Amino acid sequence: MELFGGLIAKNGLVFAFLIVGLLTLGSEFFSRKYLRSKIPGSAVAIFAGLLLGYWGGVWGNGEKGLADVKLFSGLGFFGGAMFRDFTIVATAYGASFLLVKRSGWLGFISLVLGISLFFVLGVIIALVWGYRDAVSLCTIGAGACTYIIGPVTGAAIGASSEVIALSIGTGLAKTIAVTILTPLVAKRIGLDNPQAAMAFGGLMGTSSGVAAGLAATDPELVPYGAVTATFYTGLGCLVCPSAFYGILELMF
C-alpha cells in the first residue's frame, strides 16, 4: 500500500488524468445505458465532478475539493492556472469566423442575441441569489451561457470557487433543459430545417445540449446546429470576461 501511495505521489498529474478519464468514460456509459443519451455524458460527468469536489472538501477539510485529499492532490495541479489558461486559449481558437460566415447573418444575429440574452438572465438569477459585486454577477451570468464559459470567465476575473461552482451548476441545468425540451418543442417553433437549426444552435449555445436535443429531433439537423453552437462557446469566452464584465463594473 505504501508503494502504491508513493507511486501516485510521484505521478500525481498522470493519476489525475486517469481519474478524469475514468470519470468521463463512466459518465458516457451511464448516459447511454441508463439515460438513453437523453442527458449528455458530459453533463453527467460535470455533475459527478461537482459531487466529488464537495465530498473531497468535506473529507479533506479544505477549499480545493478532492485535491485536499492527499491521494488525489494531483487534481489540484490538473485544475490549476496552467491548464486553465490553456483551456481559455484553446477554446478561443475554436472560434472560427469561417463557420459563422457559412451560417450567414442568421447565425451571427442568433449568436449575439443568444449570448446577450442568457448572460442577462444569469445576472438576474445572481441578483436574486443576493450577489451584488460585478465579479460574481459576471461569472454566474457567463455560466448561464454555458458551463464552460462560466468557469473560464470566473478564473479570468478572479471569482471565488463557490461562485464558479454556481456558474457551472447554472450552465449544467441549462444543458439538461435544452436536451430534454428540444424534441418536445421542435415542431411548435419550426425546428425542422437547416436554417432553423443554425439559429437554434446560436441562441442556445450549449454544444452538447444542442447536439443531443437535435439528435432526438432529427439527426440530419445536428451538423447545422453544431456550427453556431461551437462558435458560441469561443465567442462567449472572449466577450464575457472583457466587454460584459466592463459593463457590469460600471453598473455595480
Side-chain angles (χ1 to χ4, degrees), residues 29 34 37 65 78-79 117 133 140 154 159 161 171 177 180 182 198 206 235-236:
F29 174 79
Y34 299 104
S37 297
F78 185 59
L117 177 65
D133 61 292
I140 297 174
S161 57
I180 295 173
T182 298
M198 285 185 178
T206 167
L235 184 61

Side-chain angles (χ1 to χ4, degrees), residues 120-132 137 140 252:
V120 171
L121 181 61
V123 170
I124 292 173
I125 292 173
L127 288 170
V128 172
W129 286 345
Y131 291 98
R132 296 293 182 270
L137 293 174
I140 297 174
F252 296 92

Side-chain angles (χ1 to χ4, degrees), residues 216-247:
T217 304
D218 182 355
E220 293 184 1
L221 297 177
V222 174
Y224 299 99
V227 168
T228 45
T230 301
F231 189 83
Y232 183 107
T233 300
L235 184 61
C237 286
L238 291 174
V239 300
C240 287
S242 54
F244 287 173
Y245 176 60
I247 293 172

Side-chain angles (χ1 to χ4, degrees), residues 22-34:
L22 291 175
L23 178 64
T24 304
L25 183 64
S27 299
E28 287 290 342
F29 174 79
F30 183 83
S31 174
R32 294 180 183 179
K33 182 76 173 177
Y34 299 104

Side-chain angles (χ1 to χ4, degrees), residues 50-239:
L50 289 172
L51 289 179
L52 287 172
Y54 174 76
W55 171 74
V58 173
W59 186 20
N61 296 319
E63 298 180 352
K64 296 182 180 180
L66 201 58
D68 288 316
V69 181
K70 188 176 181 179
L71 184 64
F72 305 108
S73 60
L75 288 169
F77 181 71
F78 185 59
M82 183 179 73
F83 282 99
R84 178 202 69 199
D85 294 342
F86 173 78
T87 302
I88 294 172
V89 174
T91 303
Y93 269 99
S96 172
F97 282 99
L98 292 176
L99 292 178
V100 175
K101 186 178 179 180
R102 197 172 121 198
S103 63
W105 280 103
L106 178 65
F108 178 75
I109 293 172
S110 66
L111 278 170
V112 174
L113 184 61
I115 293 175
S116 302
L117 177 65
F118 279 104
F119 183 84
V120 171
L121 181 61
V123 170
I124 292 173
I125 292 173
L127 288 170
V128 172
W129 286 345
Y131 291 98
R132 296 293 182 270
D133 61 292
V135 171
S136 298
L137 293 174
C138 185
T139 302
I140 297 174
C145 295
T146 74
Y147 55 68
I148 296 176
I149 300 175
V152 167
T153 299
I157 62 179
S160 66
S161 57
E162 173 191 321
V163 172
I164 291 177
L166 284 174
S167 75
I168 296 173
T170 305
L172 184 61
K174 174 190 172 183
T175 296
I176 294 173
V178 170
T179 301
I180 295 173
L181 296 177
T182 298
L184 300 178
V185 303
K187 290 184 179 180
R188 297 182 181 180
I189 64 176
L191 188 55
D192 55 5
N193 59 81
Q195 290 74 24
M198 285 185 178
F200 182 76
L203 286 170
M204 295 297 105
T206 167
S207 300
S208 55
V210 168
L214 289 178
T217 304
D218 182 355
E220 293 184 1
L221 297 177
V222 174
Y224 299 99
V227 168
T228 45
T230 301
F231 189 83
Y232 183 107
T233 300
L235 184 61
C237 286
L238 291 174
V239 300

